[in-house]
Each structure stands twice: as C-alpha cells, then as structure tokens.
C-alpha cells in the first residue's frame, strides 16, 4: 500500500511539472507571436506606398537610420557617383559663406564662444565637421565611421549607434585642438544645415510626439503638465499622451522668455550650437543640396576611393520607401498640419528663437504665415 501511494505521489508531481512547463512554453509562444504581429502592423504595414521587396534585408546600421518618424522629404537624393561640382555650386558655396559672415556682423556675434564638444576632427583626412542632429547627421556619421576605419560589414552587424562608434574614433576635441585643426592649411571644415522649422518638426515628431525614447519621456510629461490646459482650449479634447506640436512650441517659447534652459541638441539653434561666427567654416552645406555639397568636400579631399556612394545610396533609397510608407504625406502637407496648431503670435515668438538661423543660412520664413491659425 505504501509503495502505491508513493508511486501516485511521484506521478502527480511529474504531471504538475509537465503542465507547468507546458504553460510557460505556451505563454512564451503567445507573447512572441503577438510581438511579431504588432511589429508588422506598426512598422512595416503600408496602405499608401509600394511595399518593400522581400529581397531587401535590413542590417543593424540601416535599422538605426529608420528609427523614429521623420518627414516624407527628408532624404538627400540619389547619387550614383561623386561628381565634380559645377561653377554654379562653387558660386553658391561662396555666397553661403559670405552670408554667414554678414549675419554675424549684423547680429554682433563675432565674439561668440565656441561649442567645441559637438565637433568631429579627423586629422588624418583633414576634415572637421560639426554634427547638427536632424540635418544629415546619419549620412555624415556613416562617412566618419568609414574614415575612422570601421569595416562596412562590422557597421552592418554592430548594435552600437553610429554616434557611439564615431566618438570612439573621434573624441570630443578641446577648443585649442579645434582651432589648430581648422587653421591648418588644407583642412576643410564642414557645417550642414537644414530649413530650421523642417528640422524642428522632425525632431519633435521623432523625440516627443508619440512614444518618446526613454531619455525624453520625462520631458514629454513635463510639457504636457505645463501646457495641456491651454492647448485643450485651442485644440479641443486631446487624446495623445505625448505633447502636441502646440504644446511643444509653447514650451520652447516659455523657456526662451524665462532664460532658464539651454535648448536640447536636437532643436538648439544652429548659430548657437555650431558657433559659425567663431568658426569660419570652409563649406556651408544644406540638406536640400547635400549630394552636390558632399561631392565637393569628398573631391577636394580626395576621399572618393574610401566613401563609395553606392552602399550609402541603397540605404537612402530604402529609407525613402520606409519614410513615405510611414507618413503617407509630403513635407509641405505635414508643415501645414502641425503649424496650423499655432497662431501668428506664437510664430513670431518662435522666430525670436530661430530667426537668426533663417537669415544666416538663407531660408525664407514667410511661408509659415499661411500655415498658422488666423
């Protein structure tokens, strides 16, 4: 009798553990399947754009480039080869430099301090670049990683962000190191800018609008707490957890007026972030003409054999498809939608922050008068 009871007890124990393991396995499979379904629905599903071909496999570097919503026209254009710039490009680059110098005198900024920590200095290849986020930063970070000696296969496998990898090769320079590099004959110093409000909107959508990256979640909650009541009176019932564009602009204006904050790197004004009045940049490039501008820099420094455009172009074309698939709208439509949340006074206050950038780099802010609320 004792042995039978003991046998039954053992059998019950084995059945219990078997059922427990089976339940854990089923739970894991359920959540894994749900995760795959959600990822497909949110990141890859598209009803408005051509599907991405199954033959395209995203490597880790390309996946990083695709993170976050961006504007539909946020691409640098196709480049099948590094072409020699024409005379019109050379004249345009010269005019941009002269315009910056004129703006520095106009706004009395010649004595501004240097923000050296945002620069990359490549002594070996005679190149200095100030990294403005949301202004072709991913494109030039990739180029600096190649110049730093990383293999393209390594970049496709690495789990580190391009910025992290680049800083390992090109640490933040001191002010003296930066000045010495820029004053060295043959060195090209590069600044890439973008239409200021297009960049501002891209940063807002990427960092704050919906699911904020961990670093920005606290800021998103703070903005909502401070400005949701006022926004609701203008926009009606707001269901989003993240701040609306109205709330984001109100936050920027309030901080500017109170002088209590230095702006985040993703929306800091260009003239403060990269110190163009203290650094006489050799080349002022624009995202809107990035292909030709980049060609000029690469040709001048003889880096064409290292910075083959073909691999990067594949990522650019893929990013174009993914961006348009995600947004389904072009840049003009997005600007009209978001700036339609603010009024003329808020636009005027916003231009108190970014107006110098518009003037210094030759962008027109008048178009926004037709977007804002009347």
């Amino acid at each position: 009798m004792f042995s039978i009871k003991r046998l039954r007890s053992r059998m019950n124990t084995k059945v219990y553990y078997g059922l427990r393991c089976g339940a854990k396995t089923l739970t894991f499979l359920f959540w894994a399947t749900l995760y795959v379904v959600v990822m497909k629905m949110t990141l890859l599903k598209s009803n408005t754009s051509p599907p991405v071909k199954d033959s395209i496999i995203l490597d880790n570097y390309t996946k990083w480039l695709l993170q976050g919503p961006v504007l539909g026209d946020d691409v640098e254009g196709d480049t099948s080869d590094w072409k020699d710039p024409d005379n019109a490009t050379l004249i345009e680059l010269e005019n941009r430099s002269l315009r910056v110098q004129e703006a520095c005198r106009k706004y009395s900024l010649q004595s501004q301090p240097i923000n050296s920590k945002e620069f990359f200095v490549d002594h070996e290849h005679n190149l200095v670049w100030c990294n403005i986020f949301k202004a072709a930063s991913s494109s030039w970070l990739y180029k600096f990683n190649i110049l730093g000696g990383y293999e393209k296969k390594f970049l496709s496998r690495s789990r580190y962000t391009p910025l992290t990898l680049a800083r390992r090769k090109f640490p933040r320079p001191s002010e003296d190191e930066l000045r010495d590099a820029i004053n060295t004959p043959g060195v090209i110093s590069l600044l890439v800018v973008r239409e200021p409000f297009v960049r501002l909107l891209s940063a807002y959508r990427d960092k704050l609008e919906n699911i904020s990256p961990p670093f920005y979640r606290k800021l998103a909650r703070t903005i909502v707490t401070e400005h949701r009541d006022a926004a609701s009176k203008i926009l009606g019932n707001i269901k989003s957890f993240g701040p609306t564009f109205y709330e984001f602009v109100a936050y920027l204006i309030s901080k500017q007026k109170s002088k209590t904050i230095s702006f985040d790197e993703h929306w800091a004004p260009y003239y403060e972030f990269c110190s163009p009045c203290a650094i006489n940049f050799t080349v002022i490039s624009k995202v809107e003409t990035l292909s030709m501008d980049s060609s000029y820099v690469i040709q001048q420094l003889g880096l064409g054999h290292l910075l083959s455009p073909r691999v990067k172009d594949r990522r650019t074309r893929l990013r174009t498809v993914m961006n348009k698939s995600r947004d389904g709208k072009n840049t003009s439509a997005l600007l009209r939608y978001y700036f339609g949340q603010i009024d003329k006074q808020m636009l005027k206050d916003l231009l108190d922050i970014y107006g110098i950038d518009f003037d210094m780099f030759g962008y027109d802010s008048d178009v926004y008068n037709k977007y804002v609320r009347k």
Side-chain angles (χ1 to χ4, degrees), residues 93 96-97 118-122 126-132 135-137 139-141 143-144 147 178 181-182 187-193 274-276 279-287 289-298 301 303 307 361:
L93 291 175
R96 290 175 188 173
S97 296
E118 303 302 337
F119 283 78
F120 288 80
V121 178
D122 184 350
N126 295 326
L127 180 60
V128 175
W129 169 56
C130 184
N131 174 29
I132 293 180
S137 57
S139 175
W140 272 98
L141 278 172
K143 292 178 176 62
F144 264 81
L147 294 176
L178 178 60
I182 289 176
V187 168
I188 286 183
S189 51
L190 172 66
L191 175 64
V192 184
V193 296
C274 283
S275 317
I279 300 294
N280 188 18
F281 285 96
T282 312
V283 176
I284 306 293
S285 175
K286 292 185 176 182
V287 168
T289 57
L290 186 62
S291 296
M292 187 57 72
D293 299 342
S294 297
S295 292
Y296 173 78
V297 173
I298 291 167
L301 295 176
L303 301 177
L307 302 178
F361 300 104

Side-chain angles (χ1 to χ4, degrees), residues 248-277:
F248 174 56
V249 172
Y251 159 78
L252 294 176
I253 293 171
S254 66
K255 297 305 178 184
Q256 170 73 1
K257 290 183 175 181
S258 63
K259 306 294 184 181
T260 59
I261 189 173
S262 58
F263 288 113
D264 180 90
E265 58 195 9
H266 289 85
W267 47 80
Y270 304 143
Y271 77 93
E272 293 181 352
F273 194 68
C274 283
S275 317
C277 294

Side-chain angles (χ1 to χ4, degrees), residues 252-253 256 263 269 271 349-357:
L252 294 176
I253 293 171
Q256 170 73 1
F263 288 113
Y271 77 93
D349 292 337
L350 199 60
L351 285 171
D352 287 341
I353 303 173
Y354 299 100
I356 293 179
D357 283 347

